[in-house]
Amino acid sequence: MAEAHAAVAFQFTITPEGVDFRISNEALRAIYYSGVRSWKKRFARFKNHFLTGLYPASPTSWFVVLVAIFAAVFVRVDPSMGMIQLIQDHLGLSNYFSAPTDLYVSVVIFSTVLWIAMVYMLRYMLKLLLCYHGWMYEPHGKISLVSKIWLAMVKIFSGRKPLLYSYQASLPRLPLPTIQGTVKRYLTSVRPLMDDNQFKEMEQLAVDFQENLGPRLQRYLLLKSWWATNYVSDWWEEYVYLRGRYPIMVNSNYYAMDAIFIHPTQSQAARAANVIYSMLLFRRQVAQEQVRPILVSNAVPLCSWQYERMFNTTRIPGVETDSLRHWDDSKHVVVYNRGRYYKLPVYFLGQMIPPCEIQAQLEKILLDKSEPAFGEAHLGAITAGDRVPWAKARQTYFSKGVNKASLDAIEQAAFFVTLDEEEACYDQDDDNTKVSTFAKSLLHGKAYDRWFDKSFTLIVFKNGRIGLNCEHSWADAPIIGHLWEHTIYYDARNIGYGEDKNTLGEPSLPLPAPLHLKWDISEECNEVIESQLATAKKLSEDVDMQLLAFRHYGKDVCKKCRISPDAWIQMALQVAYYRDQNKFALTYEASMTRLFREGRTETVRSCTMDSCNFVRSLEDPTKTNEERIKLLKQAASSHQSSYRNCMTGTGIDRHLFTLYVVSKYLGEDSKFLGKVLSEPWRLSTSQTPHQQTNLLDLRKNPEYISGGGGFGPVADDGYGVSYIIAGEHAIMFHISSKYSSDRTSSRKFMKNIEKAMLDMRALFDNASKK
């Protein structure tokens, strides 16, 4: 069908008088503007690569150096210490140029070489400066003289107006920890979770590994750390994400939720149009590198590598391993509604279609009464089940003909859009039932109405609420969080809606209707689809999802108590889990390593001896409030120290993971590594970042903060907890577990979290009354 549509642009017939050509001027115009847009993108990409390659210097600095050298030569001062004359003599420039042209050419050559050397020197100096992390370990609000000098030097050596990828070449490599340090930190982390006999056995395994196999594995890893940009990230992407043969729905994909307190329109088509347009604006900014790199303390850059595959990206299933495929550009999105798939172009004559035009196109889809083709309605379930059946089906049924053309349209789309048939709401009371249903729908939907392989699926509900379902292998949640902040702001504040709550403007472009994708699904293929749907349904129906909108207080109380809000919440989760299970569990908290080039995540092990001591004190009636507060502050301090270690490359788990990978390559079996990597994370947690952009001050506009996001449980008998500190006076908790486990209940755990948060505040309230 796509080929047939293109063919009408150019037709010819053979007559006795010759060949009669009939050319569509409109089609040629579209082709011309498409080519212009393509060349503009190529030029912009070339320019940005050039500027990024020079950073922290700039082309202007070359001119400054050139003028300075020429000025020195004219006043008969030789700043090159004879190098200019050497260039003049060695290259024999006098044979080609007359005096004084040969001198000028020599000056240009020397100035350019000197400038290039200065560029590399500046970059190397900035990289050395960024290797310093002492500032992170200083008390909040207090900065030492050394750190002040360091910060000033970072700002001096950083260039002006950096592009998105300007800092990449200046970022240091992720350091490789020592075997001894990692093993010591690991043993400290598991001590509260083991009895004396278990810990003694683990100590013996650790010592044996450290003295025998470990150093050999470390040497291979050291070689990789010298050779590769990042010794962890490629293996993490491949072995943790892409080689997993289990369903990625629930197990890997995660979701992001709409803003909590605003609902700009209840028109599904209008909201979808504005959001699609906002996302395309962000895509253009990423492509042109206009997105400002995120700077910690307004000086220290984070790695921007993960932004590259945000759009036009799809996970491709394979029998043994999946792969990620990224296209440089895409001029359409694919829209799903009531079992049908539509290709929606978002460019016309080389320009982005405005929101009012997109809304009109989406309304055509919503009003379309056509029925899905055989097998089309549940087709998306094929991405929700196990990976091997999907990989085989893709090769067998989707590698040629109309099925391949339609699948290509989905996979090559900028992103996937679902116009959901259900409504989504937040609760006005403390019941949290509606918002929990909202979250559950974002996590898996009906298991066939999202395309789980796309980098992300935009979900627009019938009443205009929005959310995302995100594939995890290409990037981590902070990257999507950046897109989401931009989208929510541009949707409601920058683009906006009319008084009738529709998009601004009136549609006037002669756009063809969205193309309903065609499918030729055989009975055998449909059996695979339905089998995948059954697998996905079983998985999705087992998810016990609860959301807690905790409005009693937010980070305001934590700051008054001089405790990190993240550490405060992690301690509350430890209290809640202990009350829920009457024991402690290995706890995972995601931390980022983006201070280093191509850094992704590291694991903060939140259950420590100090946290256990605090939890026990809270349950011990003989302990005083003062003792409990002291233990809480000690536990929070230990947690923050561990978090900083992870951010600065001295964590535990990524090092042990890469050692394990090396051992498998060498065919070595390590009891120590096998035991470490088989330990279940029964409490998996993550904080959703916010305020990554300066588009909006959330302290003045708290209603624009996202409701956060969440993920499925990591262990069958465990909990997954994501939280977002929603301003000064609220915290959102997203709690998941499995109904099939008789050990867990998300609603019970939600109540335990709420009580733990209130009990911790009461410690300080009671102390202040005395």
Side-chain angles (χ1 to χ4, degrees):
M1 291 299 293
E3 291 83 354
H5 278 281
V8 300
F10 181 82
Q11 299 177 7
F12 67 92
T13 55
I14 300 176
T15 67
E17 289 78 19
V19 180
D20 179 23
F21 290 96
R22 294 194 300 277
I23 300 174
S24 167
N25 290 332
E26 190 64 30
L28 287 180
R29 189 179 172 207
I31 292 170
Y32 168 75
Y33 280 110
S34 179
V36 169
R37 176 175 174 270
S38 177
W39 280 104
K40 281 183 177 179
K41 286 196 69 173
R42 290 179 187 177
F43 176 76
R45 193 178 296 120
F46 171 79
K47 183 191 76 172
N48 290 337
H49 286 173
F50 176 71
L51 294 176
T52 299
L54 299 180
Y55 199 83
S58 65
T60 308
S61 62
W62 173 81
F63 183 72
V64 172
V65 171
L66 184 64
V67 169
I69 300 297
F70 264 112
V73 170
F74 280 126
V75 296
R76 299 184 182 278
V77 175
D78 185 5
S80 71
M81 294 183 290
M83 290 296 295
I84 293 175
Q85 185 63 47
L86 185 65
I87 292 171
Q88 198 173 355
D89 296 339
H90 186 72
L91 296 182
L93 295 178
S94 58
N95 297 328
Y96 304 97
F97 303 99
S98 60
T101 305
D102 57 343
L103 174 63
Y104 298 160
V105 173
S106 300
V107 169
V108 170
I109 293 173
F110 173 76
S111 300
T112 302
V113 172
L114 177 64
W115 174 70
I116 292 173
M118 291 174 64
V119 169
Y120 278 94
M121 184 196 71
L122 286 170
R123 185 180 297 168
Y124 186 72
M125 288 298 298
L126 182 57
K127 181 178 287 191
L128 286 178
L129 288 168
L130 294 177
C131 289
Y132 170 75
H133 300 119
W135 60 277
M136 292 189 63
Y137 293 87
E138 294 175 349
H140 183 69
K142 297 180 181 179
I143 183 167
S144 67
L145 179 61
V146 171
S147 293
K148 288 179 180 179
I149 295 172
W150 164 82
L151 189 62
M153 291 183 68
V154 168
K155 292 183 177 181
I156 290 171
F157 280 94
S158 295
R160 298 176 58 196
K161 298 181 180 179
L163 300 173
L164 177 60
Y165 304 119
S166 290
Y167 287 105
Q168 291 301 101
S170 301
L171 290 173
R173 294 174 183 240
L174 182 68
L176 180 65
T178 63
I179 290 276
Q180 294 78 8
T182 298
V183 168
K184 182 180 179 180
R185 287 189 294 273
Y186 168 76
L187 290 174
T188 302
S189 74
V190 297
R191 185 64 188 94
L193 304 172
M194 296 180 176
D195 59 34
D196 291 342
N197 291 332
Q198 291 173 325
F199 186 70
K200 186 176 180 180
E201 178 188 355
M202 181 57 77
E203 266 190 322
Q204 291 172 347
L205 290 175
V207 170
D208 179 69
F209 172 77
Q210 184 175 307
E211 294 179 351
N212 296 296
L213 180 60
R216 183 183 171 208
L217 303 181
Q218 181 80 346
R219 285 193 291 271
Y220 282 94
L221 208 53
L222 183 63
L223 180 63
K224 189 191 178 192
S225 72
W226 290 343
W227 180 254
T229 306
N230 187 296
Y231 78 91
V232 175
S233 294
D234 58 338
W235 284 351
W236 186 255
E237 180 179 297
E238 179 179 358
Y239 293 107
V240 172
Y241 293 115
L242 297 179
R243 280 189 178 268
R245 303 295 81 198
Y246 47 77
I248 61 174
M249 183 197 76
V250 175
N251 293 316
S252 179
N253 284 29
Y254 59 97
Y255 66 86
M257 186 175 276
D258 198 0
I260 303 174
F261 303 115
I262 61 167
H263 194 173
T265 179
Q266 296 203 14
S267 168
Q268 184 178 27
R271 189 82 194 276
N274 260 13
V275 171
I276 289 171
Y277 187 77
S278 299
M279 288 179 164
L280 292 172
L281 287 177
F282 192 76
R283 183 181 73 152
R284 184 169 66 186
Q285 291 178 13
V286 169
Q288 296 177 356
E289 301 185 31
Q290 294 174 349
V291 177
R292 181 177 173 81
I294 295 176
L295 303 178
V296 180
S297 299
N298 203 33
V300 184
L302 298 183
C303 178
S304 301
W305 161 67
Q306 295 179 52
Y307 288 86
E308 293 178 5
R309 299 180 293 183
M310 180 179 290
F311 298 95
N312 326 325
T313 299
T314 295
R315 179 169 173 160
I316 305 295
V319 174
E320 293 185 358
T321 182
D322 293 355
S323 60
L324 285 172
R325 189 171 298 173
H326 172 75
W327 287 265
D328 286 338
D329 194 15
S330 178
K331 300 175 184 176
H332 70 277
V333 297
V334 168
V335 180
Y336 174 92
N337 176 249
R338 292 193 298 112
R340 304 154 308 166
Y341 294 82
Y342 296 85
K343 181 179 180 180
L344 174 62
V346 290
Y347 281 84
F348 183 72
L349 299 181
Q351 299 294 320
M352 269 199 300
I353 298 174
C356 61
E357 299 285 356
I358 298 176
Q359 179 180 349
Q361 294 291 80
L362 293 173
E363 286 172 345
K364 292 176 184 177
I365 293 174
L366 292 171
L367 294 173
D368 187 358
K369 302 299 182 183
S370 63
E371 293 296 319
F374 175 75
E376 182 182 11
H378 294 166
L379 178 61
I382 206 165
T383 68
D386 293 318
R387 303 305 292 173
V388 174
W390 169 209
K392 292 179 177 179
R394 189 177 189 276
Q395 181 63 35
T396 305
Y397 305 113
F398 297 91
S399 60
K400 59 184 178 181
V402 67
N403 287 350
K404 183 180 187 304
S406 294
L407 181 62
D408 284 347
I410 293 175
E411 292 181 341
Q412 296 176 23
F415 50 90
F416 192 84
V417 181
T418 292
L419 298 179
D420 207 291
E421 299 172 66
E422 308 295 329
E423 294 189 351
C425 303
Y426 287 104
D427 302 83
Q428 299 301 315
D429 51 27
D430 293 330
D431 184 56
N432 295 311
T433 300
K434 292 179 181 178
V435 74
S436 298
T437 302
F438 186 0
K440 190 171 170 65
S441 180
L442 291 174
L443 182 63
H444 53 66
K446 297 175 182 175
Y448 59 78
D449 52 355
R450 286 86 171 102
W451 199 266
F452 294 99
D453 285 352
K454 283 300 290 181
S455 54
F456 65 87
T457 294
L458 169 64
I459 302 151
V460 186
F461 292 90
K462 193 174 181 179
N463 62 339
R465 283 292 186 188
I466 58 173
L468 296 177
N469 182 282
C470 311
E471 200 279 318
H472 208 329
S473 64
W474 64 272
D476 301 307
I479 308 301
I480 279 291
H482 194 166
L483 165 69
W484 206 226
E485 283 186 32
H486 174 280
T487 299
I488 289 176
Y489 168 77
Y490 268 77
D491 165 42
R493 293 288 292 267
N494 188 279
I495 303 172
Y497 298 87
E499 293 183 2
D500 59 355
K501 297 302 181 182
N502 283 309
T503 53
L504 298 171
E506 293 294 331
S508 59
L509 297 177
L511 301 174
L515 177 64
H516 184 181
L517 298 179
K518 303 301 180 184
W519 305 94
D520 182 15
I521 307 295
S522 64
E523 290 285 353
E524 294 81 4
C525 180
N526 193 54
E527 288 178 8
V528 177
I529 294 171
E530 293 302 319
S531 174
Q532 290 284 85
L533 178 60
T535 300
K537 280 283 188 183
K538 183 179 179 181
L539 180 60
S540 64
E541 290 171 358
D542 195 26
V543 175
D544 179 7
M545 179 67 70
Q546 287 290 327
L547 260 70
L548 168 63
F550 185 83
R551 298 189 179 95
H552 301 283
Y553 63 88
K555 65 180 180 182
D556 55 335
V557 169
C558 308
K559 290 190 294 186
K560 286 178 183 176
C561 299
R562 296 186 178 180
I563 294 177
S564 156
D566 180 72
W568 179 287
I569 294 170
Q570 285 292 326
M571 295 308 108
L573 293 176
Q574 291 299 314
V575 173
Y577 189 87
Y578 185 80
R579 289 172 174 173
D580 187 82
Q581 300 289 322
N582 199 31
K583 63 179 181 180
F584 298 105
L586 190 62
T587 305
Y588 182 114
E589 182 188 5
S591 163
M592 63 92 175
T593 56
R594 289 171 60 205
L595 292 172
F596 305 97
R597 190 167 182 180
E598 295 187 12
R600 291 199 60 163
T601 61
E602 178 57 277
T603 304
V604 182
R605 292 174 169 240
S606 301
C607 182
T608 63
M609 290 296 294
D610 288 326
S611 70
C612 293
N613 290 338
F614 163 67
V615 172
R616 291 191 184 100
S617 75
L618 208 58
E619 302 301 290
D620 184 353
T622 65
K623 295 291 184 181
T624 65
N625 271 3
E626 289 74 14
E627 291 174 311
R628 291 166 178 163
I629 290 173
K630 183 179 179 181
L631 290 170
L632 171 58
K633 290 187 174 182
Q634 177 60 42
S637 177
S638 297
H639 177 80
Q640 284 300 98
S641 179
S642 178
Y643 201 103
R644 291 174 183 127
N645 288 341
C646 290
M647 287 185 66
T648 54
T650 53
I652 300 169
D653 291 274
R654 298 302 177 268
H655 187 200
L656 294 177
F657 160 75
T658 50
L659 289 169
Y660 180 79
V661 173
V662 173
S663 74
K664 291 303 175 183
Y665 276 122
L666 298 179
E668 297 283 358
D669 185 27
S670 168
K671 290 184 179 179
F672 171 70
L673 292 176
K675 200 171 183 67
V676 169
L677 271 74
S678 64
E679 294 169 339
W681 300 97
R682 290 195 170 89
L683 182 55
S684 182
T685 71
S686 179
Q687 180 183 175
T688 302
H690 64 88
Q691 198 70 67
Q692 296 188 81
T693 70
N694 56 3
L695 292 173
L696 200 64
D697 187 346
L698 294 177
R699 289 172 297 182
K700 297 179 180 178
N701 302 274
E703 68 275 13
Y704 282 90
I705 195 166
S706 161
F711 50 88
V714 174
D716 290 338
D717 58 348
Y719 292 106
V721 182
S722 177
Y723 51 92
I724 183 170
I725 302 171
E728 298 292 321
H729 308 295
I731 302 170
M732 290 285 290
F733 291 91
H734 300 244
I735 305 150
S736 65
S737 62
K738 292 190 175 182
Y739 287 117
S740 56
S741 173
D742 57 3
R743 297 182 180 181
T744 58
S745 165
S746 293
R747 191 161 191 84
K748 178 185 173 185
F749 196 54
M750 176 186 73
K751 296 295 184 184
N752 281 326
I753 292 174
E754 186 173 31
K755 187 175 187 304
M757 293 286 286
L758 293 173
D759 288 350
M760 287 171 62
R761 178 178 181 175
L763 293 178
F764 292 88
D765 289 343
N766 294 334
S768 63
K769 292 177 183 178
K770 294 181 179 180

